[in-house]
Structure formats: C-alpha cells, structure tokens
Amino acid sequence: MREEVKGTFASVFGKQDGLRFFFAPGRVNIIGEHTDYNGGHVFPCALTIGTFAAVSQRKDRLVRMFSENFKETGVKEFKLDDLCYNKDDDWANYPKGVIFEFQQRGYAIPNGFDIAFSGNIPNGAGLSSSASIELLMAVVLQTYFHPELNALHLVKMAQHAENTFIGVNCGIMDQFAIGMGKKGHAMLLNCDTLSYEYSKLDVSGLSLVIANTNKKRSLAGSSYNARRQECQEALRDLKTELEIASLGELSPSDFDSYAHLIQNETNRRRAKHAVYENDRTIKTAEMFKKNKLDEIGSLMKESHLSLKNDYEVTSPELDELAYAAWSHEGVIGSRMTGAGFGGCTISIVKDQAVEDFIEKAGAAYKERTGIKADFYVADIGEGARELKGD
Ligand code: GLA
C-alpha cells in the first residue's frame, strides 16, 4: 500500500523528495454499540486495514488532496485561511475539518501540503473509514507542527471536528480506537471518564471475521442523530428523580426500577438498550479474560437482538448475516458492529471452521437477500502513526 500511495502521489503531484508516509487503521467494535455517547463502555479494536497517505510540505498556504479511492472526484484544493465545509469537496471535508479544528484551538498550521490518500477499508461498511482519515490528518499535523500534542488530544479533536464540521454527532469510540489501537488488543473504554484498559485478545484457535452486507448504509447520519436525541430525552425524564449525568451510570436493575419515569415508549426502549448494552460490554471484557466463550456468544447475540428490537438500527441484511452465523456450529458469537443501518457484522469463529462459515453463511445470505456478502478475517493492529523505515 505504501508503494501504491507513493505511485499515486507521483502521478498526481509529480515526483518529490522528502515524502513522508502515514497510516491510520479502521476499527471494529466487538461489543458496546451506541453506548459511547451515553456515557457507557465500548470494546473496540483497531484493524490492520486502513488509510495510507504520502505527504509533502508546500511553501505556500495551499492544501491539495487526492484520494485513490475517489479518483473520479479529482484533486481537492483549498487555502489554509479559508476552510469551510463544502459539499463539492466530498470526502476531503473530513481531513479539512481536522485542519480547521487545529486552527480553531490555536494550533497554528504554518504552511500547506500535498497529500495522496489510499485506503483499503470498504467505504460505508461501518468500519470507520471517516474517523480513519480524520486521525490520519491529525497525526500528519501533529508530526509536522505540533509534536507536543498527545494521541488522546488528537482523538478528541478529531471527534469534535466530526461533530461540528461534518455535523455527525458521533461519540468518541471510533476516533479513540483508531488513535489508541494496540496490536492484538481490544480496548475497554469508559466513555464517560475516558479511562481505559487494553485487553489482550488471547483467543488462540479463534478468528474475528467481519462480514460486509454490501448494502450501503442509508440515512445513517440523520437516524444516528435521532437516536442520540431519544436517549437524551429518556435521560431528562430519569433525572426528574435520579441524580445521574448519563445513562451509563445505571445498572440494568436500576433501570428497571426507574424506567416508568420515561414518558415515551420508544425512548424507553432506546435507553434500555444503552443501559443493558453497557452491562453486556463490561461482562464481555471480563469473559474474554476468563476465556468463557459460551458467555461471550450469548452476550453478542443479546446485543444484536437489542440493537434490532429496542434500538432499531439493524437492517434485514444485518439480521440475515447474524442468523446465518448463529446457526453455524463453528461460530462462538456474532452481531452487527458499528452504527448499524447496514454495514457489517463481526463474528468470532473457530479457526478450522472459518472457510466453511464463509461459504455457508455467504450462500445463505445470498439466497435470502440476493446480495453477495464480503468476508474478511480481521487482524488487530496498531493505532494511527507515521510509517518510518521500510
Ligand atoms: C458510530 C459512531 C460511534 C458509535 C457507533 C455506535 O460508529 O461514530 O461514536 O456511536 O456508531 O456504537
């Protein structure tokens, strides 16, 4: 990929000395969905697939960007002193938003650059290609101009850029997983306090298999923001009697005792998901430590069903992939991953069953939906960084 992005750079901007190379991964969440913006826990990991960039500094204040993944949109060009969201800039708004965020916070960007991007995260699959390009941009700016900023700071800035510049009110999970990823580890992150612990996924004999529905997510942004709003309304109702700052502070039994305070039935189901999912996430991380695979499988299934019935963010395609996985004997657990509304499932599969699982689940899915799913055996990698040496 590094050679490829170097080639892309040369063909678009011409050969240049002193190119530097950067990488930011995609992420997959094992469990803890729609809990991050509710002050709960998440359990994601960074992948070895991601976004690559070749970067060269310019002497003026122009920024030029090109993405091999969106060739047809051409070179995007803008000035550092005139950064605003522009629909025509399409994908380039994500890195542009991060540059803007740096400037807004008073971190000067003295000169522009030329950047070629190339990524191998399937777009719109819920594996965070957008947070990946955001963190990549943040690491580029940190490396050249602001080495004093630590990774967590970059994570927060990238999330804020997505909230304000792009207008998607996402939580911190994606940027955190991508900025802080560690090879072979998932992270149990408390999204309220941002305390976290790495958890070695010591799952010898097991593989993480990502299955892409190949059904593009629709209305993801607006429905996502609507879910967030519904949870806030539920919290507001609960606060009439409870002193809590977020749904993440409630245990399932607390929730059951006070759920009647939530006036709207839909909001009650949304909040129930957030509270119970948080509990499942903490338990899943615990079960990984104890290697209790059956429990992990049940928790993943409950998670998917809750996202389907109470949070209503699965899709018929995600459900079909989950059903196909649950009925395969080599599968420990399976659920949708990411925001939902389409995208991917994640399954924990016995190594020797992976091939058969892909064949059978792929065939069942094709038969039920008419769509061909793609399967990837995930490799858990490091967070966003400059690529040095070879
Ligand atoms: C998207 C958001 C995250 C998180 C997930 C759902 O990926 O960017 O912040 O809310 O959806 O768990």
Side-chain angles (χ1 to χ4, degrees), residues 6 9-11 13-17 19:
K6 188 174 175 184
F9 188 100
S11 66
F13 301 116
K15 275 214 167 85
Q16 279 182 40
D17 292 334
L19 277 189

Side-chain angles (χ1 to χ4, degrees), residues 1 25 53 78 121 129 132 148 172 195 218 238 249 260 267 275 291 300 305 307 324-325 338 348 366:
M1 282 302 286
F78 40 87
I121 308 173
S129 54
S132 176
E148 76 279 12
I172 200 162
S195 65
S218 56
L238 289 166
E249 291 177 32
H260 62 275
N267 293 352
V275 171
N291 213 15
M300 289 177 81
L305 291 173
L307 287 156
I348 303 177
K366 178 86 204 289

Side-chain angles (χ1 to χ4, degrees), residues 234-366:
L235 177 64
R236 194 196 52 211
D237 289 350
L238 289 166
K239 278 177 157 177
T240 55
E241 284 191 25
L242 290 174
E243 273 188 41
I244 51 170
S246 74
L247 294 175
E249 291 177 32
L250 296 178
S251 68
S253 67
D254 292 338
F255 178 81
D256 292 344
S257 311
Y258 292 96
H260 62 275
L261 295 174
I262 304 171
Q263 301 298 313
N264 175 297
E265 192 269 335
T266 303
N267 293 352
R268 203 177 306 134
R269 283 187 292 122
R270 307 298 193 235
K272 179 178 179 205
H273 166 78
V275 171
Y276 276 70
E277 179 79 352
N278 183 37
D279 187 59
R280 283 189 284 271
T281 306
I282 298 166
K283 284 189 177 139
T284 302
E286 197 57 43
M287 293 304 136
F288 265 101
K289 279 188 194 152
K290 296 185 177 154
N291 213 15
K292 293 206 166 167
L293 301 179
D294 288 349
E295 277 87 343
I296 294 171
S298 311
L299 290 160
M300 289 177 81
K301 186 170 184 175
E302 281 170 29
S303 166
H304 185 96
L305 291 173
S306 172
L307 287 156
K308 174 178 184 294
N309 300 323
D310 286 336
Y311 220 68
E312 296 180 280
V313 293
T314 67
S315 63
E317 294 78 17
L318 284 168
D319 295 339
E320 288 301 341
L321 275 180
Y323 301 151
W326 294 338
S327 64
H328 193 285
E329 59 193 13
V331 172
I332 305 297
S334 183
R335 55 179 289 280
M336 62 149 264
T337 185
F341 313 104
C344 293
T345 60
I346 174 142
S347 307
I348 303 177
V349 186
K350 291 181 186 150
D351 283 344
Q352 72 272 20
V354 168
E355 225 173 281
D356 190 63
F357 163 66
I358 292 176
E359 193 189 312
K360 295 215 171 96
Y365 179 71
K366 178 86 204 289

Side-chain angles (χ1 to χ4, degrees), residues 25-88:
R27 69 95 188 90
V28 69
N29 189 21
I30 295 174
I31 196 164
E33 227 61 86
H34 292 277
T35 45
D36 59 353
Y37 54 83
N38 284 309
H41 290 71
V42 292
F43 195 50
C45 35
L47 298 169
T48 50
I49 56 171
T51 315
F52 293 78
V55 185
S56 162
Q57 288 204 72
R58 297 176 60 89
K59 297 205 164 55
D60 57 16
R61 293 187 56 77
L62 195 65
V63 178
R64 298 191 298 171
M65 293 180 171
F66 178 84
S67 169
E68 185 67 33
N69 300 75
F70 301 96
K71 278 195 190 99
E72 63 291 351
T73 68
V75 175
K76 302 294 176 191
E77 211 175 287
F78 40 87
K79 298 201 180 83
L80 282 173
D81 303 304
D82 182 25
L83 299 179
C84 53
Y85 185 90
N86 176 351
K87 202 165 171 287
D88 294 337

